[in-house]
Amino acid sequence: MPVPHLSAALRGPVLDLENRINNARPSIEHWLRGKWRECSIPFYCSVDLRNSGFKLAPVDTNLFPGGFNNLNPEFFPLCVQAVMTAVEKICPDAHSILLIPENHTRNTFYLQNVASIQTIMQHAGLNVRIGSLIPEIKSATVFNLPDGQSITLEPVVRKNNHLCVDGFDPCAVLLNNDLSNGIPEILQDLNQTIIPPLRAGWATRRKSEHFKAYNTVADEFAELIGIDPWLINPYFTSCGKIDFREKQGEDCVAKSSDKILAVIREKYREYGVKEDPFVIVKADSGTYGMGIMTVKDGEEVYQLNRKQRNKMAVVKEGVLVTNVLVQEGVYTFENINQAVAEPVIYMIDHYVVGGFYRVHTGRGMDENLNAPGMHFVPISFEPDCLLPSGTQQQGLMPQRYYVYGVVARLAMLAAALELRPTAG
């Protein structure tokens, strides 16, 4: 599969950053190997990156990735090998796994993702059945998919603190359901390995906690290769007790936005960046690009109309937004066929297994691209993209993909630190 036609700024600090990362490859890989030994690595994750031409940073880390169907099929064998490694660590006795997806049966593209996960795990030598938490699914139900495949969803049954489906008693449960609406009773207090752990779900997880952990990782990595950590790390803060409909908590959001904008402005002056700084205000938990807005002046928070307030007030499954992350906005200067694009990198265990560009023809380079109208272009990790030779001309796409993989793994390391069980 050819590399998508991609244009991006190959100049300034990010090109310098790419050079530093590529030149420090032995030190980086040695450092990461040590980190993987110290912590439990998430089973899988995806990381949204933004490349502004002067900064490359993660802006979101999803521990229940839903786009395996968008990956380059050439990397299917790498996914299989990574799953084998991950299963050996988490559940070495595993031979059968129950996969529990989201309740999105109307979203057949999401179901293609579920089918991809099932196929990858089957090729890794596992028996895999798909269990649904949807009350209406009372018997095995077949869903036909846009690509000609089909998958079968079966009702989940709980027996003796074990989850199973008809005639299938798995030794582990793999969640591809992010628990946005809380942890269902059927998943609580199980005598079964649950992957990822329930605390990874949006019922308890907070993006602000993830980026606190990422601060620690980014600072240590920046010291390792001798860079300003800001080049890989967006500023952020968080606000609680928010009710956009009732205008509660908006003072915190407006003041926090202005405070971060002022700090970014200083950094832009330091690096000679001419663009206007902006922040992204988004729900502190949840996915699917809901509850997000771009702010260039704190006053804008007070000026939201009713439609905008309603849009910010709820996220997936109608969950009310009561906490928000106020995060430095990172421009994306990458585009494919004149449409704004951002890379999304996928990992299983600590291996980069592929990625794609999220592309949106109707959005600007300072806007959230995870919105209706987006489409996906698989990234082709050419043979030496993950481990490019040091003799290649700097700035070539294989070098850039390696850098993407490094920064994405930093975000995965932050997720591992974030999910460490608390004492007691």
Side-chain angles (χ1 to χ4, degrees), residues 359-395:
V359 185
H360 205 302
T361 56
R363 291 286 174 113
M365 61 185 185
D366 61 349
E367 293 182 288
N368 165 50
L369 304 187
N370 189 2
M374 63 183 166
H375 67 277
F376 308 103
V377 177
I379 292 175
S380 175
F381 286 82
E382 299 282 306
D384 57 353
C385 280
L386 293 181
L387 291 171
S389 69
T391 59
Q392 287 184 318
Q393 180 185 344
Q394 297 296 325

mmCIF file of all heavy atoms in Angstrom, residues 359-395:
data_model
loop_
_atom_site.group_PDB
_atom_site.id
_atom_site.type_symbol
_atom_site.label_atom_id
_atom_site.label_comp_id
_atom_site.label_asym_id
_atom_site.label_seq_id
_atom_site.Cartn_x
_atom_site.Cartn_y
_atom_site.Cartn_z
ATOM 1 N N VAL A 359 -8.786 12.286 8.674
ATOM 2 C CA VAL A 359 -8.828 13.375 7.696
ATOM 3 C C VAL A 359 -10.226 13.999 7.714
ATOM 4 O O VAL A 359 -11.229 13.277 7.791
ATOM 5 C CB VAL A 359 -8.508 12.852 6.276
ATOM 6 C CG1 VAL A 359 -8.430 13.999 5.281
ATOM 7 C CG2 VAL A 359 -7.203 12.056 6.276
ATOM 8 N N HIS A 360 -10.279 15.327 7.649
ATOM 9 C CA HIS A 360 -11.584 16.001 7.637
ATOM 10 C C HIS A 360 -11.539 17.166 6.657
ATOM 11 O O HIS A 360 -10.750 18.088 6.810
ATOM 12 C CB HIS A 360 -11.947 16.510 9.033
ATOM 13 C CG HIS A 360 -13.412 16.664 9.259
ATOM 14 N ND1 HIS A 360 -14.210 17.472 8.481
ATOM 15 C CD2 HIS A 360 -14.249 16.093 10.172
ATOM 16 C CE1 HIS A 360 -15.460 17.403 8.900
ATOM 17 N NE2 HIS A 360 -15.512 16.570 9.930
ATOM 18 N N THR A 361 -12.400 17.098 5.647
ATOM 19 C CA THR A 361 -12.396 18.148 4.611
ATOM 20 C C THR A 361 -13.091 19.418 5.076
ATOM 21 O O THR A 361 -12.909 20.470 4.479
ATOM 22 C CB THR A 361 -13.103 17.638 3.339
ATOM 23 O OG1 THR A 361 -14.428 17.205 3.690
ATOM 24 C CG2 THR A 361 -12.347 16.474 2.718
ATOM 25 N N GLY A 362 -13.869 19.322 6.165
ATOM 26 C CA GLY A 362 -14.640 20.492 6.591
ATOM 27 C C GLY A 362 -14.128 21.151 7.856
ATOM 28 O O GLY A 362 -14.797 22.026 8.414
ATOM 29 N N ARG A 363 -12.958 20.756 8.330
ATOM 30 C CA ARG A 363 -12.423 21.319 9.572
ATOM 31 C C ARG A 363 -11.105 22.035 9.314
ATOM 32 O O ARG A 363 -10.388 21.722 8.375
ATOM 33 C CB ARG A 363 -12.215 20.210 10.608
ATOM 34 C CG ARG A 363 -13.527 19.607 11.136
ATOM 35 C CD ARG A 363 -14.216 20.578 12.087
ATOM 36 N NE ARG A 363 -15.529 20.134 12.512
ATOM 37 C CZ ARG A 363 -15.840 19.783 13.757
ATOM 38 N NH1 ARG A 363 -14.896 19.777 14.689
ATOM 39 N NH2 ARG A 363 -17.075 19.452 14.067
ATOM 40 N N GLY A 364 -10.794 22.985 10.217
ATOM 41 C CA GLY A 364 -9.555 23.740 10.110
ATOM 42 C C GLY A 364 -8.438 23.107 10.920
ATOM 43 O O GLY A 364 -8.659 22.180 11.702
ATOM 44 N N MET A 365 -7.222 23.661 10.763
ATOM 45 C CA MET A 365 -6.053 23.060 11.413
ATOM 46 C C MET A 365 -6.011 23.349 12.913
ATOM 47 O O MET A 365 -5.154 22.819 13.625
ATOM 48 C CB MET A 365 -4.763 23.565 10.755
ATOM 49 C CG MET A 365 -4.544 25.034 10.828
ATOM 50 S SD MET A 365 -3.062 25.474 9.882
ATOM 51 C CE MET A 365 -2.951 27.233 10.260
ATOM 52 N N ASP A 366 -6.955 24.165 13.409
ATOM 53 C CA ASP A 366 -7.030 24.414 14.848
ATOM 54 C C ASP A 366 -8.292 23.795 15.447
ATOM 55 O O ASP A 366 -8.707 24.161 16.551
ATOM 56 C CB ASP A 366 -6.996 25.917 15.146
ATOM 57 C CG ASP A 366 -8.168 26.675 14.515
ATOM 58 O OD1 ASP A 366 -8.888 26.082 13.675
ATOM 59 O OD2 ASP A 366 -8.355 27.860 14.857
ATOM 60 N N GLU A 367 -8.911 22.851 14.729
ATOM 61 C CA GLU A 367 -10.166 22.272 15.195
ATOM 62 C C GLU A 367 -10.038 20.777 15.443
ATOM 63 O O GLU A 367 -9.145 20.107 14.914
ATOM 64 C CB GLU A 367 -11.281 22.512 14.165
ATOM 65 C CG GLU A 367 -11.676 23.977 14.014
ATOM 66 C CD GLU A 367 -12.808 24.144 13.012
ATOM 67 O OE1 GLU A 367 -12.570 23.978 11.806
ATOM 68 O OE2 GLU A 367 -13.939 24.440 13.451
ATOM 69 N N ASN A 368 -10.973 20.250 16.249
ATOM 70 C CA ASN A 368 -11.075 18.824 16.492
ATOM 71 C C ASN A 368 -11.505 18.122 15.208
ATOM 72 O O ASN A 368 -12.478 18.514 14.567
ATOM 73 C CB ASN A 368 -12.109 18.595 17.610
ATOM 74 C CG ASN A 368 -12.556 17.165 17.704
ATOM 75 O OD1 ASN A 368 -11.729 16.258 17.740
ATOM 76 N ND2 ASN A 368 -13.857 16.947 17.749
ATOM 77 N N LEU A 369 -10.757 17.082 14.825
ATOM 78 C CA LEU A 369 -11.073 16.358 13.590
ATOM 79 C C LEU A 369 -11.923 15.116 13.840
ATOM 80 O O LEU A 369 -12.404 14.498 12.890
ATOM 81 C CB LEU A 369 -9.779 15.942 12.872
ATOM 82 C CG LEU A 369 -8.798 17.065 12.525
ATOM 83 C CD1 LEU A 369 -7.664 16.515 11.665
ATOM 84 C CD2 LEU A 369 -9.491 18.230 11.833
ATOM 85 N N ASN A 370 -12.101 14.754 15.110
ATOM 86 C CA ASN A 370 -12.907 13.585 15.454
ATOM 87 C C ASN A 370 -14.371 14.000 15.460
ATOM 88 O O ASN A 370 -14.982 14.231 16.502
ATOM 89 C CB ASN A 370 -12.484 13.029 16.812
ATOM 90 C CG ASN A 370 -13.144 11.697 17.125
ATOM 91 O OD1 ASN A 370 -13.900 11.171 16.312
ATOM 92 N ND2 ASN A 370 -12.864 11.171 18.294
ATOM 93 N N ALA A 371 -14.929 14.139 14.265
ATOM 94 C CA ALA A 371 -16.271 14.682 14.109
ATOM 95 C C ALA A 371 -16.919 14.085 12.875
ATOM 96 O O ALA A 371 -16.227 13.584 11.980
ATOM 97 C CB ALA A 371 -16.191 16.213 13.978
ATOM 98 N N PRO A 372 -18.264 14.110 12.810
ATOM 99 C CA PRO A 372 -18.934 13.585 11.611
ATOM 100 C C PRO A 372 -18.361 14.204 10.342
ATOM 101 O O PRO A 372 -18.087 15.409 10.301
ATOM 102 C CB PRO A 372 -20.390 14.006 11.834
ATOM 103 C CG PRO A 372 -20.542 14.072 13.321
ATOM 104 C CD PRO A 372 -19.223 14.584 13.828
ATOM 105 N N GLY A 373 -18.157 13.368 9.329
ATOM 106 C CA GLY A 373 -17.551 13.835 8.084
ATOM 107 C C GLY A 373 -16.103 13.450 7.942
ATOM 108 O O GLY A 373 -15.516 13.594 6.874
ATOM 109 N N MET A 374 -15.500 12.919 9.031
ATOM 110 C CA MET A 374 -14.099 12.490 8.953
ATOM 111 C C MET A 374 -13.998 11.205 8.143
ATOM 112 O O MET A 374 -14.954 10.446 8.003
ATOM 113 C CB MET A 374 -13.539 12.268 10.356
ATOM 114 C CG MET A 374 -14.229 11.159 11.126
ATOM 115 S SD MET A 374 -13.597 10.991 12.812
ATOM 116 C CE MET A 374 -14.876 9.957 13.548
ATOM 117 N N HIS A 375 -12.808 10.960 7.594
ATOM 118 C CA HIS A 375 -12.525 9.662 6.992
ATOM 119 C C HIS A 375 -11.094 9.272 7.335
ATOM 120 O O HIS A 375 -10.356 10.075 7.925
ATOM 121 C CB HIS A 375 -12.779 9.660 5.478
ATOM 122 C CG HIS A 375 -11.842 10.532 4.680
ATOM 123 N ND1 HIS A 375 -12.038 11.889 4.515
ATOM 124 C CD2 HIS A 375 -10.711 10.241 3.996
ATOM 125 C CE1 HIS A 375 -11.073 12.391 3.768
ATOM 126 N NE2 HIS A 375 -10.248 11.412 3.437
ATOM 127 N N PHE A 376 -10.719 8.058 7.016
ATOM 128 C CA PHE A 376 -9.453 7.513 7.486
ATOM 129 C C PHE A 376 -8.607 7.032 6.316
ATOM 130 O O PHE A 376 -9.113 6.401 5.397
ATOM 131 C CB PHE A 376 -9.705 6.354 8.460
ATOM 132 C CG PHE A 376 -10.638 6.716 9.577
ATOM 133 C CD1 PHE A 376 -11.963 6.293 9.551
ATOM 134 C CD2 PHE A 376 -10.212 7.492 10.638
ATOM 135 C CE1 PHE A 376 -12.838 6.634 10.562
ATOM 136 C CE2 PHE A 376 -11.080 7.844 11.656
ATOM 137 C CZ PHE A 376 -12.392 7.418 11.620
ATOM 138 N N VAL A 377 -7.320 7.346 6.374
ATOM 139 C CA VAL A 377 -6.367 6.898 5.367
ATOM 140 C C VAL A 377 -5.297 6.085 6.094
ATOM 141 O O VAL A 377 -4.561 6.632 6.924
ATOM 142 C CB VAL A 377 -5.723 8.095 4.628
ATOM 143 C CG1 VAL A 377 -4.674 7.598 3.639
ATOM 144 C CG2 VAL A 377 -6.784 8.932 3.928
ATOM 145 N N PRO A 378 -5.204 4.773 5.828
ATOM 146 C CA PRO A 378 -4.208 3.958 6.536
ATOM 147 C C PRO A 378 -2.788 4.461 6.289
ATOM 148 O O PRO A 378 -2.437 4.831 5.169
ATOM 149 C CB PRO A 378 -4.399 2.554 5.946
ATOM 150 C CG PRO A 378 -5.776 2.559 5.370
ATOM 151 C CD PRO A 378 -6.015 3.969 4.900
ATOM 152 N N ILE A 379 -1.998 4.488 7.342
ATOM 153 C CA ILE A 379 -0.577 4.799 7.209
ATOM 154 C C ILE A 379 0.133 3.534 6.753
ATOM 155 O O ILE A 379 -0.092 2.457 7.301
ATOM 156 C CB ILE A 379 0.015 5.271 8.545
ATOM 157 C CG1 ILE A 379 -0.558 6.646 8.934
ATOM 158 C CG2 ILE A 379 1.538 5.335 8.476
ATOM 159 C CD1 ILE A 379 -0.108 7.128 10.301
ATOM 160 N N SER A 380 0.963 3.657 5.745
ATOM 161 C CA SER A 380 1.777 2.531 5.315
ATOM 162 C C SER A 380 3.129 2.640 5.992
ATOM 163 O O SER A 380 3.930 3.496 5.650
ATOM 164 C CB SER A 380 1.943 2.538 3.795
ATOM 165 O OG SER A 380 2.813 1.530 3.397
ATOM 166 N N PHE A 381 3.354 1.806 6.998
ATOM 167 C CA PHE A 381 4.661 1.777 7.636
ATOM 168 C C PHE A 381 5.573 0.925 6.744
ATOM 169 O O PHE A 381 5.567 -0.289 6.820
ATOM 170 C CB PHE A 381 4.577 1.186 9.041
ATOM 171 C CG PHE A 381 3.958 2.108 10.028
ATOM 172 C CD1 PHE A 381 2.576 2.219 10.117
ATOM 173 C CD2 PHE A 381 4.742 2.876 10.878
ATOM 174 C CE1 PHE A 381 1.998 3.078 11.038
ATOM 175 C CE2 PHE A 381 4.157 3.729 11.796
ATOM 176 C CZ PHE A 381 2.778 3.832 11.884
ATOM 177 N N GLU A 382 6.310 1.598 5.865
ATOM 178 C CA GLU A 382 7.201 0.912 4.932
ATOM 179 C C GLU A 382 8.188 0.043 5.720
ATOM 180 O O GLU A 382 8.338 0.209 6.924
ATOM 181 C CB GLU A 382 7.955 1.956 4.099
ATOM 182 C CG GLU A 382 7.025 2.840 3.270
ATOM 183 C CD GLU A 382 6.517 2.137 2.013
ATOM 184 O OE1 GLU A 382 7.348 1.656 1.234
ATOM 185 O OE2 GLU A 382 5.303 2.066 1.826
ATOM 186 N N PRO A 383 8.879 -0.899 5.091
ATOM 187 C CA PRO A 383 9.685 -1.878 5.837
ATOM 188 C C PRO A 383 10.571 -1.283 6.919
ATOM 189 O O PRO A 383 10.748 -1.879 7.968
ATOM 190 C CB PRO A 383 10.523 -2.536 4.733
ATOM 191 C CG PRO A 383 9.655 -2.449 3.526
ATOM 192 C CD PRO A 383 8.916 -1.147 3.643
ATOM 193 N N ASP A 384 11.129 -0.091 6.673
ATOM 194 C CA ASP A 384 12.024 0.475 7.694
ATOM 195 C C ASP A 384 11.401 1.680 8.386
ATOM 196 O O ASP A 384 12.090 2.500 8.962
ATOM 197 C CB ASP A 384 13.372 0.861 7.087
ATOM 198 C CG ASP A 384 13.220 1.845 5.937
ATOM 199 O OD1 ASP A 384 12.068 2.112 5.549
ATOM 200 O OD2 ASP A 384 14.255 2.330 5.440
ATOM 201 N N CYS A 385 10.061 1.772 8.377
ATOM 202 C CA CYS A 385 9.429 2.924 9.014
ATOM 203 C C CYS A 385 9.476 2.844 10.533
ATOM 204 O O CYS A 385 9.581 3.857 11.208
ATOM 205 C CB CYS A 385 7.972 3.057 8.561
ATOM 206 S SG CYS A 385 7.816 3.820 6.942
ATOM 207 N N LEU A 386 9.350 1.623 11.071
ATOM 208 C CA LEU A 386 9.381 1.503 12.520
ATOM 209 C C LEU A 386 10.805 1.582 13.045
ATOM 210 O O LEU A 386 11.047 2.120 14.117
ATOM 211 C CB LEU A 386 8.739 0.183 12.955
ATOM 212 C CG LEU A 386 7.236 0.075 12.697
ATOM 213 C CD1 LEU A 386 6.728 -1.267 13.184
ATOM 214 C CD2 LEU A 386 6.484 1.204 13.365
ATOM 215 N N LEU A 387 11.739 1.058 12.296
ATOM 216 C CA LEU A 387 13.146 1.131 12.681
ATOM 217 C C LEU A 387 13.957 1.588 11.475
ATOM 218 O O LEU A 387 14.671 0.792 10.856
ATOM 219 C CB LEU A 387 13.638 -0.232 13.187
ATOM 220 C CG LEU A 387 13.047 -0.685 14.511
ATOM 221 C CD1 LEU A 387 13.428 -2.130 14.798
ATOM 222 C CD2 LEU A 387 13.514 0.222 15.643
ATOM 223 N N PRO A 388 13.850 2.857 11.108
ATOM 224 C CA PRO A 388 14.536 3.330 9.909
ATOM 225 C C PRO A 388 16.044 3.346 10.104
ATOM 226 O O PRO A 388 16.539 3.473 11.214
ATOM 227 C CB PRO A 388 13.996 4.757 9.746
ATOM 228 C CG PRO A 388 13.604 5.178 11.120
ATOM 229 C CD PRO A 388 13.133 3.938 11.812
ATOM 230 N N SER A 389 16.751 3.233 8.997
ATOM 231 C CA SER A 389 18.206 3.273 9.083
ATOM 232 C C SER A 389 18.672 4.697 9.317
ATOM 233 O O SER A 389 18.048 5.644 8.862
ATOM 234 C CB SER A 389 18.820 2.749 7.779
ATOM 235 O OG SER A 389 18.572 3.672 6.736
ATOM 236 N N GLY A 390 19.733 4.844 10.060
ATOM 237 C CA GLY A 390 20.233 6.180 10.365
ATOM 238 C C GLY A 390 20.859 6.875 9.173
ATOM 239 O O GLY A 390 21.230 8.037 9.258
ATOM 240 N N THR A 391 20.981 6.169 8.036
ATOM 241 C CA THR A 391 21.640 6.763 6.878
ATOM 242 C C THR A 391 20.671 7.483 5.961
ATOM 243 O O THR A 391 21.081 8.131 5.017
ATOM 244 C CB THR A 391 22.348 5.663 6.057
ATOM 245 O OG1 THR A 391 21.368 4.690 5.647
ATOM 246 C CG2 THR A 391 23.412 4.974 6.885
ATOM 247 N N GLN A 392 19.364 7.359 6.239
ATOM 248 C CA GLN A 392 18.396 8.001 5.364
ATOM 249 C C GLN A 392 18.425 9.511 5.515
ATOM 250 O O GLN A 392 18.784 10.049 6.556
ATOM 251 C CB GLN A 392 16.987 7.500 5.672
ATOM 252 C CG GLN A 392 16.742 6.084 5.185
ATOM 253 C CD GLN A 392 15.301 5.694 5.434
ATOM 254 O OE1 GLN A 392 14.757 5.981 6.477
ATOM 255 N NE2 GLN A 392 14.706 5.061 4.458
ATOM 256 N N GLN A 393 17.997 10.189 4.479
ATOM 257 C CA GLN A 393 17.894 11.643 4.537
ATOM 258 C C GLN A 393 16.868 12.029 5.595
ATOM 259 O O GLN A 393 15.765 11.516 5.620
ATOM 260 C CB GLN A 393 17.458 12.174 3.167
ATOM 261 C CG GLN A 393 17.312 13.692 3.114
ATOM 262 C CD GLN A 393 16.752 14.126 1.773
ATOM 263 O OE1 GLN A 393 16.758 13.359 0.822
ATOM 264 N NE2 GLN A 393 16.271 15.341 1.730
ATOM 265 N N GLN A 394 17.236 12.935 6.475
ATOM 266 C CA GLN A 394 16.324 13.349 7.535
ATOM 267 C C GLN A 394 15.111 14.046 6.934
ATOM 268 O O GLN A 394 15.196 14.753 5.944
ATOM 269 C CB GLN A 394 17.043 14.291 8.515
ATOM 270 C CG GLN A 394 18.210 13.646 9.247
ATOM 271 C CD GLN A 394 17.766 12.507 10.144
ATOM 272 O OE1 GLN A 394 16.703 12.554 10.733
ATOM 273 N NE2 GLN A 394 18.580 11.467 10.227
ATOM 274 N N GLY A 395 13.950 13.867 7.576
ATOM 275 C CA GLY A 395 12.725 14.503 7.108
ATOM 276 C C GLY A 395 11.895 13.632 6.201
ATOM 277 O O GLY A 395 10.784 13.984 5.851
#
